[in-house]
Amino acid sequence: SSETRKKFYQGFCKSVLWPTFHSFYDLLNEYGKTSTFDRNLWLVYCLVNRKFADITISAYHDGDLIWIHDYHLMVLPSHLRKNLPGAKIGYFFHIPWPSSEIYRQLPIRDELLRGLLSSSLLGFHLFYYVRHFLSSCVRILNLHHESEKGALKIHYGGRYITIRVSHIGIDPKRFGERLMHPKVSEKVFKLKKEFKGKKVIGAIDDLDVIKGISLKLLAFENL
């Protein structure tokens, strides 16, 4: 339902997980009162994750590789692992992982960690994020990592979970080829003619306080 989607995405994902994982934790709500954790939003989050699990399980065949992306589905691996104990589950975390001091403020910190550790492979953008994740595992679950031939692993639930750092970027060759396309060249020519003598800046941003849009505007002003 639309209400479930709103509570799941705007309520829990964007209002609880998103600011916390970006180390933007506000102790006061909009009324100046101490913020309290809304367990109802957490239950909705779990409900949506179970729905994803049901669909995935119904479509799964032996040997399939399951890929899960981002913080919206952090407990999905645990639901899948219970029903598909031998499945290969990859999970990539697209946002930062905060310090353990910030992460441990979440009342459901254990559940989220155990959910992610039900994966076979965990991927992060930067080693900086991996370091914080490993610290959270030690301080909250008392799980220590191991290093084998340059690979980081954590033993949990009778399995080893591989931790990997994978940077995400663009394909320079592909972009270079597109720049040479006649339609692109024509558009560039028209823009240069229309804005001759002016600086043109193009950007795509979410209207999110964490994106630092006000700082970008100040930077543009100084160009």
Side-chain angles (χ1 to χ4, degrees):
S1 66
S2 59
E3 183 66 19
T4 297
R5 289 196 297 270
K6 182 179 180 180
K7 288 182 177 181
F8 166 72
Y9 186 70
Q10 295 295 340
F12 195 78
C13 292
K14 297 297 288 186
S15 299
V16 178
L17 296 181
W18 178 259
T20 301
F21 280 94
H22 284 85
S23 304
F24 191 85
Y25 195 83
D26 195 348
L27 295 177
L28 301 179
N29 60 23
E30 58 185 313
Y31 305 107
K33 304 293 184 179
T34 301
S35 298
T36 57
F37 182 76
D38 190 337
R39 189 156 291 274
N40 181 54
L41 294 179
W42 162 244
L43 294 177
V44 171
Y45 181 82
C46 292
L47 171 65
V48 173
N49 275 246
R50 283 197 298 272
K51 288 182 178 294
F52 271 89
D54 292 340
I55 296 298
T56 304
I57 292 169
S58 66
Y60 179 81
H61 295 90
D62 288 341
D64 285 352
L65 172 62
I66 302 172
W67 265 112
I68 304 169
H69 287 274
D70 225 0
Y71 66 103
H72 312 85
L73 301 170
M74 293 178 70
V75 296
L76 175 55
S78 58
H79 293 306
L80 295 176
R81 186 62 64 194
K82 291 175 184 176
N83 294 276
L84 305 171
K88 295 179 181 179
I89 304 173
Y91 190 110
F92 196 87
F93 206 73
H94 288 267
I95 60 176
W97 191 279
S99 68
S100 59
E101 288 79 8
I102 292 177
Y103 175 75
R104 69 192 308 166
Q105 295 180 74
L106 289 171
I108 37 76
R109 53 190 175 270
D110 287 39
E111 291 89 334
L112 295 179
L113 279 179
R114 295 184 188 281
L116 292 178
L117 291 172
S118 295
S119 305
S120 309
L121 171 70
L122 273 175
F124 295 88
H125 281 297
L126 304 172
F127 182 75
Y128 175 76
Y129 304 155
V130 170
R131 183 165 59 85
H132 284 320
F133 174 76
L134 295 176
S135 176
S136 297
C137 289
V138 171
R139 297 186 177 186
I140 296 171
L141 299 180
N142 195 29
L143 293 174
H144 294 263
H145 71 277
E146 302 175 21
S147 181
E148 181 181 344
K149 297 181 180 179
L152 295 173
K153 295 184 178 183
I154 296 179
H155 189 264
Y156 174 77
R159 301 172 299 101
Y160 277 100
I161 300 92
T162 300
I163 312 297
R164 179 169 179 173
V165 177
S166 300
H167 306 295
I168 289 183
I170 65 171
D171 183 349
K173 182 180 179 182
R174 181 183 177 191
F175 273 79
E177 292 173 349
R178 292 294 189 276
L179 286 173
M180 302 304 294
H181 194 280
K183 288 187 177 180
V184 175
S185 299
E186 181 182 351
K187 185 65 175 180
V188 169
F189 177 78
K190 289 182 179 179
L191 289 174
K192 285 183 175 181
K193 184 178 181 180
E194 182 178 354
F195 298 103
K196 185 177 181 180
K198 298 180 180 179
K199 293 179 180 178
V200 179
I201 300 172
I204 299 176
D205 287 294
D206 294 328
L207 296 179
D208 190 315
V209 64
I210 293 173
K211 298 294 186 180
I213 296 176
S214 60
L215 296 176
K216 290 181 181 179
L217 292 175
L218 289 173
F220 293 159
E221 187 176 338
N222 289 325
L223 289 176

